[in-house]
Amino acid sequence: MAGELAALVARLETAVDRLEKAGVPGLAGGARSGNASSQTPDEECTVPFVLAYDDLLSGPFKTFFDCSMKIGGDVASIAKMVQSTFINQRAFLVTASKSQRPLDTELPQVLEPTGKKIQEVIAFRESKRQSPFFNHLSAISESIPGLSWVAVTPAPAPYVKEMGDSAVFYTNRVLKEYREKDKIHVEWVQNWNNVFKELQEYVKKHHTTGLSWNTRGGNAMANLKPAPANCGVPPPPPPGIPPPPPMVKLEPKVAAADDGRSALFDSINKGTAITSGLKKVTDDMKTHKNPSLREGPKPFVKQSSPPNRASPHRDGPTGPPKFALEGKKWFIEYQSDKPDLIVKDGKMDQSIYIFRCQNVVVQIKGKVNSVILDSCKKSAVVFENLVSSAEVVNCQSCKVQVMGVMPTISIEKTDGCQVYLSKDSLKTEIVTAKSTEMNILIPKDDGDFVECPVPEQFKTVINGFSLTTTCSEKAG
């Protein structure tokens, strides 16, 4: 009899353990049974993929969040919204760990909270188009849909990678703007890219073919709860009460012994004799008797200015040469007199950044995302195909040649640029600003090129309450 009772107790304990792991409320002991309906970060959770997601929040994402707080402004605001989105997804993963996969008709309702958070981030970016951090906001807005991986089957990890790569265009702009001004923005780009890199590895490891549901769990609609307010990255502590200002000892101001007022009153009391102290105006001081005094001021003569010093980017390379692939970006910097630089096996998700080079030729093999030529002199770049665009900024006497397809090329603040097109790139869009001596070379059937100059002078006329601008062509 005692043996049967012991076996029965053992079976009951095993059943209770299984139900606790499945997330059935009311079966856990202690303080947990009294508040089983509220899921907090402090609550014990033995599901591996939830614990791994907590590591992502407390590791790479916290580093990104702290960096955003240092930048402040709109970057800090959108970082808080992204934090709320990640927290909401953490609560959704907890629900999935104790629920069966819902029906196809119920799945949109289960995913609705995550979708709303993503839309809030995108709407914030659209409302801040005049923000000085618009490139930061756009980088986040372009990649935040990657959190929709919970609805992707059968392979959500490549989707996360694709969404992370969609921010490359704007992160390149951030790097180009702040690389020489503020390193915190460079770290911000690296931290944001690292968040999606770790998220991809997390999804690939724990949700290889789709979101992992609990086949023995309950109903997802019944278990769905909003994310707790105290989940995720802890906010910074509130500042304390500022100390009172130091006490300043005030001393009465002592009037000066003789401040001139007594002399003023004495002169006023003289009456008509007050004019005796005035000086007589002689004829040479009268304008109607001295025409030379009626001459106006002499015209302003501009002083000869000293020769302008060359701006920093016009000088030769000043830093250590660099030719390296960091993440998904090739950095070619401070190279000089090298006509044989080659980037082999370029990939569609990689971008090429060429900075402060002089007398170099860079060849790019394969199809890459974008090419940026920044502050270079007498340099050239030759590539096969581009996914996005090519940019030439702050350069002198540079050449760009495309062998395949190039959707767009942008030339800005550049003196002298030759662009050689191929037969496959005749639909390229050319955008220019503040540049001179620009020529587009169009190929002919015999292999030769026709040189077409880009207009630099324009004529603007007033048309009612608007302006009409046309190219100003010179004869001869």
Side-chain angles (χ1 to χ4, degrees):
M1 185 66 178
E4 294 178 358
L5 289 175
L8 180 60
V9 170
R11 292 179 61 187
L12 287 174
E13 290 179 350
T14 303
V16 170
D17 290 339
R18 291 180 178 178
L19 290 174
E20 286 180 348
K21 292 180 180 180
V24 177
L27 294 175
R32 190 176 172 188
S33 62
N35 192 17
S37 62
S38 61
Q39 183 79 13
T40 67
D42 296 332
E43 183 178 355
E44 294 183 4
C45 185
T46 59
V47 181
F49 65 78
V50 176
L51 296 177
Y53 198 83
D54 289 339
D55 294 338
L56 173 65
L57 288 178
S58 61
F61 183 80
K62 186 178 186 302
T63 303
F64 160 77
F65 185 83
D66 293 341
C67 187
S68 300
M69 293 300 103
K70 293 179 182 178
I71 296 176
D74 293 332
V75 177
S77 300
I78 200 172
K80 294 177 181 177
M81 301 176 70
V82 174
Q83 176 194 18
S84 178
T85 307
F86 272 82
I87 291 172
N88 183 275
Q89 184 159 97
R90 196 264 185 191
F92 179 79
L93 293 175
V94 173
T95 300
S97 68
K98 56 183 180 181
S99 307
Q100 296 182 4
R101 189 183 189 280
L103 301 176
D104 293 339
T105 56
E106 298 177 343
L107 188 59
Q109 301 179 35
V110 177
L111 298 175
E112 183 179 2
T114 301
K116 287 184 178 180
K117 292 292 183 181
I118 294 174
Q119 290 300 323
E120 289 177 3
V121 175
I122 297 175
F124 181 80
R125 173 250 193 177
E126 293 299 329
S127 66
K128 296 291 183 179
R129 288 191 169 271
Q130 302 301 324
S131 172
F133 300 117
F134 181 71
N135 289 327
H136 299 70
L137 307 184
S138 298
I140 293 178
S141 175
E142 292 294 327
S143 52
I144 196 65
L147 294 186
S148 299
W149 64 267
V150 292
V152 178
T153 55
Y159 173 77
V160 175
K161 181 178 183 297
E162 180 181 356
M163 289 297 98
D165 294 343
S166 62
V168 171
F169 178 77
Y170 291 102
T171 53
N172 282 344
R173 287 181 173 270
V174 175
L175 293 176
K176 182 174 68 174
E177 182 177 359
Y178 290 98
R179 176 175 294 275
E180 299 295 327
K181 295 193 300 184
D182 194 346
K183 292 298 183 181
I184 189 67
H185 295 269
V186 179
E187 296 177 6
W188 183 89
V189 170
Q190 296 173 350
N191 294 334
W192 179 243
N193 291 338
N194 193 35
V195 168
F196 267 80
K197 180 180 178 181
E198 295 297 327
L199 180 61
Q200 179 193 355
E201 294 296 329
Y202 164 80
V203 174
K204 184 177 180 181
K205 180 178 180 180
H206 298 279
H207 309 275
T208 307
T209 58
L211 180 62
S212 299
W213 298 87
N214 190 342
T215 56
R216 298 183 180 181
N219 183 272
M221 295 297 296
N223 293 332
L224 188 63
K225 300 181 181 68
N230 61 340
C231 180
V233 181
I241 301 176
M247 298 298 294
V248 179
K249 185 178 181 181
L250 300 179
E251 297 180 357
K253 183 177 179 181
V254 180
D258 186 9
D259 54 1
R261 285 179 290 182
S262 58
L264 175 63
F265 285 110
D266 290 342
S267 62
I268 293 176
N269 293 330
K270 291 181 180 179
T272 57
I274 193 173
T275 58
S276 60
L278 296 179
K279 295 181 180 180
K280 184 179 180 180
V281 180
T282 59
D283 291 342
D284 60 337
M285 300 171 64
K286 299 177 181 178
T287 56
H288 65 283
K289 292 186 178 181
N290 192 352
S292 62
L293 296 177
R294 295 197 297 269
E295 295 181 0
K298 295 182 179 180
F300 173 75
V301 179
K302 184 178 180 181
Q303 297 180 357
S304 59
S305 58
N308 294 330
R309 296 178 59 188
S311 58
H313 70 269
R314 300 300 187 185
D315 300 332
T318 57
K322 183 177 181 180
F323 190 101
L325 174 63
E326 297 181 2
K328 299 175 183 178
K329 301 178 184 62
W330 281 94
F331 291 97
I332 305 175
E333 300 177 348
Y334 304 110
Q335 302 287 342
S336 179
D337 300 322
K338 292 185 178 181
D340 54 355
L341 297 175
I342 300 177
V343 176
K344 298 180 180 179
D345 300 328
K347 299 181 180 179
M348 294 178 60
D349 59 348
Q350 294 179 348
S351 58
I352 315 296
Y353 183 68
I354 307 172
F355 179 70
R356 293 268 185 100
C357 293
Q358 183 172 344
N359 296 325
V360 301
V361 178
V362 181
Q363 299 183 35
I364 304 171
K365 305 294 184 180
K367 187 175 184 180
V368 297
N369 186 281
S370 62
V371 174
I372 300 176
L373 202 64
D374 187 4
S375 304
C376 296
K377 185 176 180 180
K378 296 182 180 180
S379 299
V381 57
V382 183
F383 49 84
E384 296 178 359
N385 295 284
L386 289 184
V387 177
S388 178
S389 63
E391 295 186 35
V392 183
V393 184
N394 293 331
C395 293
Q396 274 187 317
S397 304
C398 289
K399 298 180 180 180
V400 177
Q401 183 171 6
V402 55
M403 309 304 295
V405 177
M406 176 178 62
T408 306
I409 182 170
S410 174
I411 306 173
E412 184 176 353
K413 299 178 183 178
T414 296
D415 298 331
C417 182
Q418 306 284 332
V419 180
Y420 293 82
L421 300 179
S422 66
K423 293 184 178 180
D424 296 331
S425 60
L426 297 180
K427 295 184 179 180
T428 299
E429 294 183 357
I430 305 166
V431 181
T432 63
K434 300 180 181 179
S435 300
T436 59
E437 301 179 19
M438 299 171 290
N439 294 293
I440 309 299
L441 290 93
I442 303 174
K444 298 194 299 185
D445 293 335
D446 58 359
D448 200 0
F449 288 87
V450 177
E451 186 176 278
C452 300
V454 179
E456 302 174 15
Q457 187 175 9
F458 303 91
K459 179 179 69 175
T460 300
V461 296
I462 301 175
N463 185 10
F465 292 96
S466 62
L467 302 178
T468 302
T469 302
T470 57
C471 297
S472 178
E473 299 181 359
K474 293 185 179 180

